[in-house]
């Protein structure tokens, strides 16, 4: 009788622990990504305010991508890759703005600022290319995994 009570208590404890343990699925990975966004005061569509924060977030996303999920690994990788591409695009855009009006031809073109203009244009072009990659990846993600994309608050509208 005593053994049965002990086994019953152990079964209840085990059931309780199993019920509390969160399965590592796409939802779990999404919570981690959202937590990372919150840490940097960002969303899936907004970014940290400066390059050091973007670099830090990119490093943390790289570590997060190593996470092995029980279910939903591929959509999770799409999500992390999309977020990484958008951050890289924003980083290049910010770097492309560092010379202000001198890095553009808005106020005319001269030989002296030419290297600055070329560097700025290259960074803005890199930003645009990363942005296009992110849009393509998002379209593929929403097409292949509409449920997971909706959970992340993403849709084809975000790609527009």
């Amino acid at each position: 009788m005593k053994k049965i009570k002990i086994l019953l208590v152990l079964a209840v404890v085990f059931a309780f622990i199993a019920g509390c343990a969160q399965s590592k699925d796409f939802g779990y990975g999404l919570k981690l990504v959202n937590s990372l966004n919150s840490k940097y005061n960002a969303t899936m569509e907004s970014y940290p305010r400066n390059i050091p924060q973007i670099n830090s977030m990119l490093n943390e996303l790289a570590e997060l991508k190593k996470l092995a999920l029980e279910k939903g690994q591929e959509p999770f990788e799409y999500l992390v890759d999309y977020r990484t591409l958008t951050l890289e695009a924003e980083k290049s855009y910010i770097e492309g703005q560092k010379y202000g009006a001198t890095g553009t031809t808005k106020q005319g073109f001269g030989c002296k600022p030419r290297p600055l203009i070329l560097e700025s244009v290259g960074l803005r072009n890199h930003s645009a290319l990363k942005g296009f990659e992110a849009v393509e990846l998002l379209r593929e993600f929403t097409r292949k995994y509409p449920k997971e994309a909706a959970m992340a608050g993403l849709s084809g509208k975000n790609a527009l």
Side-chain angles (χ1 to χ4, degrees), residues 89 92-93 95-96 98 118-128:
S92 292
Y93 181 77
E95 288 174 339
K98 67 182 168 189
L118 292 175
E119 181 184 347
S120 295
V121 166
L123 289 166
R124 288 192 300 269
N125 282 341
H126 183 259
S127 173

Side-chain angles (χ1 to χ4, degrees), residues 9 24-26 37-38 41 51-52 55 59 70 73 77 81 106 108 113 119 128 140 148 150 154 158:
V9 168
K24 290 188 175 183
D25 60 358
F26 178 80
N37 280 336
S38 293
N41 197 25
I51 291 176
N55 286 336
N59 291 335
E70 295 166 4
Q73 184 70 37
E77 289 175 2
D81 288 343
K106 286 182 182 176
E119 181 184 347
E140 189 175 330
E148 287 83 353
L154 299 171
N158 297 93

Side-chain angles (χ1 to χ4, degrees), residues 24-27 29-30 33 44 64-83 136-149 152 154:
K24 290 188 175 183
D25 60 358
F26 178 80
L30 177 60
V33 171
M44 292 303 269
L64 196 59
K65 188 167 179 176
K66 297 175 185 175
L67 178 69
L69 300 176
E70 295 166 4
K71 294 185 299 186
Q73 184 70 37
E74 190 174 3
F76 175 69
E77 289 175 2
Y78 270 99
L79 181 67
V80 172
D81 288 343
Y82 168 72
R83 190 64 179 135
E136 279 304 309
L137 190 71
L138 179 59
R139 286 181 178 157
E140 189 175 330
F141 177 45
T142 57
R143 184 176 42 78
K144 279 180 137 177
Y145 302 102
K147 180 182 161 204
E148 287 83 353
L154 299 171

